[in-house]
Amino acid sequence: MTDALKRLSDEGVAIWLDDLSRKRITSGNLAELIDQSHVVGVTTNPAIFQKAISGGEGYEQQLTDLATRKVTVEEALRMITTADVRDAADILRPVYDRTDGQDGRVSIEVDPRLAHNTPATVAEAKQLAWLVDRPNTLIKIPATKAGLPAITEVIGKGISVNVTLIFSLERYREVMDAYLSGLEKAKAAGLDLSLIHSVASFFVSRVDSEIDKRLDAVGTDEAKALKGKAALANARLAYEAYEEVFSSDRWAALERVGANKQRALWASTGVKDPAYKDTLYVDDLVAPNTVNTMPEATLEATADHGQITGDTVRGTYEQARAELDAVAKLGISYDDVVQLLEDEGVEKFEASWNDLLKSTEAELERLAPTEA
């Protein structure tokens, strides 16, 4: 076992776990990861909850109570998921206090079926913040076109946000703009900006999966040489955009009244191609004031053999631009890829949520008391 996780933390990368289940909470596993593996936050998504609740243990008593009350499946699902997030937030509260609210965070996502409905997303975010009722919660809002004004509105109400499903550099800039606009609204409303936090979840591995597939279709040696480079290049240029926005005059005016930077969060950091080293999207995305949310397998791989050699992002921007340009010259459209990935991301989370609704409904029916 190496000390790679400590080195990663020392470089300014917050390590968050991309997973949650009731068993992980009640067994003491989450507390152990915080204590021993430098984990300082947790992210969830509909796919994670679908896996936890459908196949996991620890939910039967709550499901039985909900079935007895004859609640709707949507209400049952929100009671179950917010309970897990609330308990995880309590376990992480000492980290939140120690880091002045920057870490110790647990994310919960708005209903993915609302991804293209701005008012419903805002209403759902407010409801989730009220239901969980913990200061160290982040409400996840997807970075769709409809999500952008929702981000501004929710931040403007003083609710901390994790913006998810960001794939493109243009959309990332729009997300940062939405965050700053939200802070300006919060300031105008007299809210304490120091209490508002946000991360922007920039997805990594899926970019390589899609572009590598297209490079294989081109089939030339030049195309094959570019495999596994686009995702890192994209993320590194996102960090360049972050540095630019958070050194602007607009940002400085907000920082003077206590605002916090919206950190870049590297999401989807488990490699999809077994040909790549399993710590690729950790070792090669080390930069100050970032977050890397990892599935447990990636966390364990990093602990075991991660190669943390200092900052691997700043100073790479020209090379990153050259790599994306080379991909474009082969006829692979960046805009087409990132739009496809956003659309697929929303669809996958919606499918997971629908699967979860179906399996939860089946459990409620199974556990419902028989009428006398």
Side-chain angles (χ1 to χ4, degrees):
M1 193 70 75
T2 70
D3 230 0
L5 294 174
K6 181 180 187 304
R7 288 200 298 277
L8 190 62
S9 297
D10 290 345
E11 290 290 342
V13 180
I15 299 166
W16 291 8
L17 177 71
D18 193 28
D19 191 53
L20 188 63
S21 67
R22 193 155 296 178
K23 183 178 180 184
R24 195 181 284 285
I25 292 165
T26 57
S27 68
N29 172 263
L30 178 58
E32 186 178 292
L33 290 173
I34 295 164
D35 185 50
Q36 298 178 13
S37 299
H38 304 276
V39 168
V40 292
V42 166
T43 48
T44 68
N45 61 44
I48 284 170
F49 278 127
Q50 198 270 334
K51 179 183 171 190
I53 298 168
S54 300
E57 55 191 72
Y59 296 100
E60 184 131 333
Q61 184 58 60
Q62 189 178 13
L63 280 163
T64 300
D65 291 344
L66 291 164
T68 303
R69 289 174 50 214
K70 298 182 179 178
V71 303
T72 65
V73 64
E74 281 88 356
E75 184 184 351
L77 206 45
R78 274 310 180 206
M79 292 299 104
I80 293 166
T81 57
T82 54
D84 280 358
V85 168
R86 190 181 308 115
D87 289 344
D90 287 344
I91 293 168
L92 278 154
R93 184 58 190 261
V95 178
Y96 170 84
D97 292 337
R98 188 176 74 239
T99 61
D100 292 326
Q102 178 159 269
D103 289 308
R105 296 275 177 177
V106 186
S107 298
I108 183 168
E109 189 146 349
V110 298
D111 185 332
R113 296 172 298 179
L114 307 177
H116 303 296
N117 185 329
T118 302
T121 294
V122 173
E124 171 95 343
K126 288 159 61 181
Q127 171 77 353
L128 283 174
W130 177 82
L131 271 175
V132 177
D133 193 27
R134 294 294 185 272
N136 50 330
T137 311
L138 290 172
I139 307 302
K140 288 180 83 173
I141 297 176
T144 56
K145 276 294 185 186
L148 294 170
I151 293 157
T152 295
E153 191 69 23
V154 172
I155 290 289
K157 294 182 183 301
I159 297 170
S160 295
V161 170
N162 175 344
V163 184
T164 187
L165 291 176
I166 308 170
F167 295 94
S168 85
L169 295 167
E170 180 184 0
R171 184 57 52 84
Y172 178 45
R173 286 184 179 275
E174 292 174 333
V175 165
M176 290 187 284
D177 179 71
Y179 175 61
L180 296 186
S181 296
L183 289 175
E184 287 158 354
K185 286 188 76 159
K187 180 186 172 187
L191 300 181
D192 182 351
L193 300 195
S194 71
L195 300 178
I196 304 171
H197 286 261
S198 184
V199 293
S201 296
F202 200 87
F203 278 55
V204 185
S205 67
R206 294 186 195 180
V207 174
D208 270 343
S209 296
E210 183 60 32
I211 289 182
D212 283 359
K213 185 167 66 178
R214 299 182 186 209
L215 289 168
D216 280 335
V218 173
T220 64
D221 288 345
E222 182 187 8
K224 289 174 184 172
L226 287 167
K227 286 182 67 177
K229 294 185 175 177
L232 289 173
N234 199 39
R236 286 164 170 170
L237 292 176
Y239 192 79
E240 181 187 40
Y242 159 85
E243 288 190 304
E244 183 184 311
V245 169
F246 289 101
S247 60
S248 66
D249 291 341
R250 183 186 182 193
W251 165 248
L254 290 162
E255 190 173 38
R256 279 194 294 273
V257 290
N260 300 290
K261 290 178 179 177
Q262 182 186 53
R263 288 183 293 173
L265 177 151
W266 311 128
S268 183
T269 55
V271 298
K272 303 287 195 286
D273 187 334
Y276 301 153
K277 64 177 179 176
D278 52 4
T279 59
L280 176 66
Y281 304 125
V282 179
D283 298 351
D284 290 13
L285 286 176
V286 178
N289 207 35
T290 57
V291 180
N292 194 312
T293 187
M294 310 178 200
E296 191 168 22
T298 304
L299 182 75
E300 289 174 350
T302 303
D304 183 62
H305 51 263
Q307 298 293 313
I308 310 303
T309 57
D311 190 329
T312 50
V313 173
R314 291 182 295 185
T316 67
Y317 305 143
E318 289 309 311
Q319 178 68 25
R321 256 187 289 279
E323 286 166 350
L324 288 187
D325 286 347
V327 169
K329 282 173 186 167
L330 293 173
I332 296 170
S333 167
Y334 175 85
D335 290 342
D336 180 61
V337 167
V338 294
Q339 188 59 56
L340 174 72
L341 290 172
E342 180 187 304
D343 293 343
E344 283 184 350
V346 172
E347 287 166 11
K348 284 175 182 174
F349 280 169
E350 189 172 328
S352 293
W353 194 250
N354 286 331
D355 287 346
L356 184 48
L357 285 168
K358 286 177 194 166
S359 59
T360 303
E361 187 170 37
E363 282 297 282
L364 291 172
E365 288 172 2
R366 181 179 72 83
L367 296 167
T370 54
E371 298 292 337

